[in-house]
Amino acid sequence: EEATCTADGDCSVEEEAASTSNNASGAKVVCENKHDQCEFWAGLGECEKNPGYMHSNCAKICGTCAGYRQPTLADGKTFGVSQQVTGSKADEIQKLIDDTQKYMREEVSVDDKFKEVRDGCQNRNELCAFWAVIGECEANPKFMEMECAPSCKTCIKLDFDFRCPFDKDAPSTWKPGDLNKMFERITTDQYYQQFEPKILSQPGQPIGKFKDGPWVITLDNLLSEQECEKLIELGGVRGYEQSYDVGKKKYDGTYDKHLNQDRTSTNAWCVDECYNDTVTQDVVHRLENVTGIDDTNSEYLQLLRYEVGQKYGQHHDYIDYQKNRQCGVRIITVFLYLNDVEAGGGTDFPLLGLTVMPKRGSALIWPSVMDANPDYKDHRTEHQALPVEAGTKYGANAWVHQRSFKDPYAKGCI
Ligand SMILES: O=C(O)CCC(=O)C(=O)O
Ligand SMILES: [Fe+2]
């Protein structure tokens, strides 16, 4: 079918026909970018400025293949991939693309409220216009509003602060001094003696390179054998997969996962049926009892598995960008050891000269922040998971935040 071009020439369907007509031997000429700079050039507006070369050599990005159209901004720049205009809905798709182009030119390009999202607002699939026509923006908004924001006219929703307004009044859990109070309570209150607390480092005592140590404690008897077994099993049910770190900020304000060569473990997040399991709930409530902090502030348990040779190089658990997010920064880590490891696999604090060996049912607790300013990172608690030398190591991270983690998590606002 024939797609119609608009008067201002941003659609070149006539040339498209040429570029995809059958060649001499009758084979279909593929719609492609013949040069690896095509996308870059298109981003500079070259499809408009230099159509002679671009429309035949960069047909895909310029939208000059048969059945494709590439809407453009006033300066000829594109906003994402060329859109397919074929099938029984071709007329409606054509109309939607005209509409999208008007929206991008007259609102997104000029209105200051789109400043943060202007460049990132792109159709990331060639079927965006088609999907929008068949109602997917409404039926499947989570995907569409991010992948096809121009077609859905939802560029503003790429703005993280718009989607996830940060409640400035949300109370922080720890005020200055509360960190010390928590560790003092755990190590001195009679109630916590059942967990066998041991102090490995504490304020006022020199350790490693420091005159004054951070709190680091273990609770040797926090979980039962059966609870440990069950958590390992629940991790297996969810499936242990390659562990990742936090990567770069994406166009929608969330953060990519980043493969760290120095982190070779696998892990499973204890969500859904794992979180709802009665054993998990018992453990979670015990953690609330120990920390004195509501479970809503905790990330879902990250269940970890290290095979022989696997490790996690020196790092800190504090995540900077979370300071300005609803959840706030991580304030403490409760690391749970779920089995005895034959050899290796200790948790090591290089700046403190302290290594803790795994022991089934025990927990290692350290802060990521300073007592005097609980939003500020405590550099002293950098740590690493040493390679397992024999056997398998199972553990779990319970990361506790300044404010609710589970509420914003449920809204996609972490
Ligand atoms: O496995 C360990 O001993 C510590 C793991 C750790 O530091 C982490 O996952 O952030
Ligand atoms: Fe860590």
Side-chain angles (χ1 to χ4, degrees), residues 263 306 312-313 315-318 330 333 335 347 366 381-385 397 399:
R263 188 180 194 191
Y306 300 82
Y312 189 176
H315 68 279
H316 203 283
D317 290 349
Y318 183 97
R330 289 172 173 168
T333 301
F335 192 82
T347 309
W366 70 86
T381 53
E382 288 204 355
H383 56 278
Q384 58 184 330
N397 278 304
W399 282 302

Side-chain angles (χ1 to χ4, degrees), residues 49-341:
K49 291 183 214 152
N50 190 8
Y53 177 87
M54 291 292 287
H55 286 191
S56 52
N57 291 291
C58 299
K60 185 139 202 228
I61 183 70
C62 291
T64 47
C65 308
Y68 280 84
R69 199 183 137 198
Q70 177 63 299
T72 57
L73 300 172
D75 56 7
K77 289 181 185 162
T78 55
F79 45 90
V81 301
S82 307
Q83 296 298 297
Q84 241 188 53
V85 192
T86 51
S88 61
K89 304 263 180 217
D91 288 350
E92 286 167 78
I93 297 171
Q94 195 66 252
K95 203 173 150 295
L96 186 122
I97 292 174
D98 288 342
D99 232 41
T100 302
Q101 181 167 271
K102 193 165 144 64
Y103 164 70
M104 293 301 287
R105 288 185 179 194
E106 294 174 12
E107 296 181 50
V108 180
S109 294
V110 290
D111 191 331
D112 248 16
K113 74 178 182 197
F114 295 104
K115 221 170 69 193
E116 294 296 322
V117 297
R118 204 166 275 153
D119 291 342
C121 192
Q122 300 189 4
N123 284 323
R124 290 165 197 275
N125 191 294
E126 62 185 35
L127 295 177
C128 282
F130 168 69
W131 286 332
V133 161
I134 63 170
E136 286 293 310
C137 297
E138 295 76 30
N140 191 7
K142 214 171 158 186
F143 172 83
M144 289 293 289
E145 291 177 355
M146 299 295 122
E147 288 294 300
C148 299
S151 292
C152 295
K153 297 194 192 171
T154 52
C155 292
I156 197 65
K157 293 196 183 176
L158 296 173
D159 189 337
F160 189 90
D161 294 329
F162 177 90
R163 284 202 315 280
C164 302
F166 174 40
D167 178 6
K168 297 272 188 298
D169 299 327
S172 288
T173 295
W174 275 356
K175 298 181 297 301
D178 285 347
L179 186 159
N180 270 335
K181 276 187 210 150
M182 181 196 81
F183 281 99
E184 257 148 30
R185 172 172 49 76
I186 300 170
T187 51
T188 58
D189 260 29
Q190 193 53 40
Y191 173 80
Y192 298 98
Q193 290 306 307
Q194 60 183 308
F195 304 130
E196 298 170 39
K198 292 194 176 61
I199 298 172
L200 307 181
S201 168
Q202 67 180 314
Q205 304 280 324
I207 185 165
K209 346 183 342 168
F210 307 106
K211 285 204 299 264
D212 190 36
W215 281 102
V216 180
I217 67 168
T218 54
L219 301 177
D220 266 353
N221 186 31
L222 188 67
L223 306 185
S224 71
E225 297 257 339
Q226 294 87 329
E227 287 170 333
C228 291
E229 275 301 328
K230 187 67 192 182
L231 287 176
I232 293 171
E233 185 194 314
L234 287 168
V237 171
R238 289 213 64 79
Y240 290 96
E241 289 171 3
Q242 172 70 52
S243 299
Y244 288 95
D245 287 359
V246 177
K248 286 205 189 74
K249 196 173 183 170
K250 291 194 294 179
Y251 65 89
D252 63 357
T254 62
Y255 284 76
D256 245 338
K257 46 187 193 176
H258 170 255
L259 184 62
N260 175 356
Q261 302 295 342
D262 252 10
R263 188 180 194 191
T264 52
S265 57
T266 52
N267 70 259
W269 291 97
C270 188
V271 295
D272 301 335
E273 83 289 348
C274 176
Y275 179 68
N276 291 324
D277 189 277
T278 53
V279 170
T280 306
Q281 286 299 309
D282 286 348
V283 169
V284 159
H285 289 132
R286 200 162 314 133
L287 293 175
E288 286 183 315
N289 254 325
V290 168
T291 61
I293 300 171
D294 195 285
D295 179 57
T296 189
N297 282 37
S298 291
E299 294 182 35
Y300 291 93
L301 290 177
Q302 185 190 45
L303 304 168
L304 285 160
R305 184 176 72 188
Y306 300 82
E307 302 291 0
V308 171
Q310 295 185 339
K311 60 176 180 175
Y312 189 176
Q314 190 170 339
H315 68 279
H316 203 283
D317 290 349
Y318 183 97
I319 299 174
D320 270 302
Y321 81 82
Q322 293 179 334
K323 202 174 192 161
N324 301 312
R325 294 267 159 111
Q326 254 161 278
C327 60
V329 294
R330 289 172 173 168
I331 54 179
I332 39 169
T333 301
V334 180
F335 192 82
L336 306 172
Y337 296 104
L338 301 180
N339 73 335
D340 297 313
V341 179

